[in-house]
Amino acid sequence: MLCASCEQLFSGYEKSFSEKVFDPIHRDPLPETLEYREWAIRFAVSVSWRVLTYHLMQLQGLRNFNENQMEWAISAESAWRKFLLGKAEHPGEHEQHLLVMGLIESGSTDGLS
């Protein structure tokens, strides 16, 4: 799905997210503060873009979307791609949000994150 240079670019955002958000939340499920820099929005957009692009590439991927939802999805993919490639300063109206909800206390699988 990604060329080598994009894979390298995204891996920097993933590393920062892991070190500054994922790992701290696993040490303290409700930390007082989390570091948020430019990499955070780029990480979030990169994940959203990959998921959306995957579904857009599938023949039946978004078959349940109505016409308006499909237009919105195509618009989001384009805006996110431009942002990730440095051709836009912000993802625009296609916002990203992070909700820290703590850890799952128990489950049927050991080591569940």
Side-chain angles (χ1 to χ4, degrees):
M1 178 188 272
L2 296 174
C3 68
S5 62
C6 289
E7 201 55 74
Q8 186 68 29
L9 181 68
F10 287 13
S11 73
Y13 309 145
E14 292 164 357
K15 183 178 187 300
S16 294
F17 183 84
S18 178
E19 292 173 351
K20 308 291 187 193
V21 178
F22 188 80
D23 292 343
I25 289 172
H26 279 76
R27 285 191 300 272
D28 176 4
L30 295 173
E32 277 190 40
T33 62
L34 290 171
E35 184 177 337
Y36 182 91
R37 302 274 187 262
E38 179 69 17
W39 53 262
I41 186 68
R42 294 197 181 277
F43 169 77
V45 171
S46 75
V47 172
S48 297
W49 178 82
R50 282 180 272 191
V51 170
L52 180 58
T53 299
Y54 172 81
H55 286 286
L56 287 170
M57 292 170 64
Q58 302 302 307
L59 186 58
Q60 299 291 321
L62 299 174
R63 71 177 186 271
N64 294 327
F65 276 25
N66 65 36
E67 186 176 334
N68 290 338
Q69 291 167 324
M70 194 58 159
E71 288 175 11
W72 189 258
I74 291 168
S75 172
E77 187 282 328
S78 177
W80 292 339
R81 182 173 16 91
K82 289 174 185 170
F83 175 67
L84 291 168
L85 293 174
K87 297 179 180 179
E89 291 183 27
H90 190 273
E93 62 187 342
H94 306 287
E95 299 175 354
Q96 303 286 305
H97 301 272
L98 173 67
L99 302 174
V100 178
M101 302 176 81
L103 300 178
I104 296 172
E105 292 291 325
S106 64
S108 59
T109 303
D110 289 338
L112 190 61
S113 172

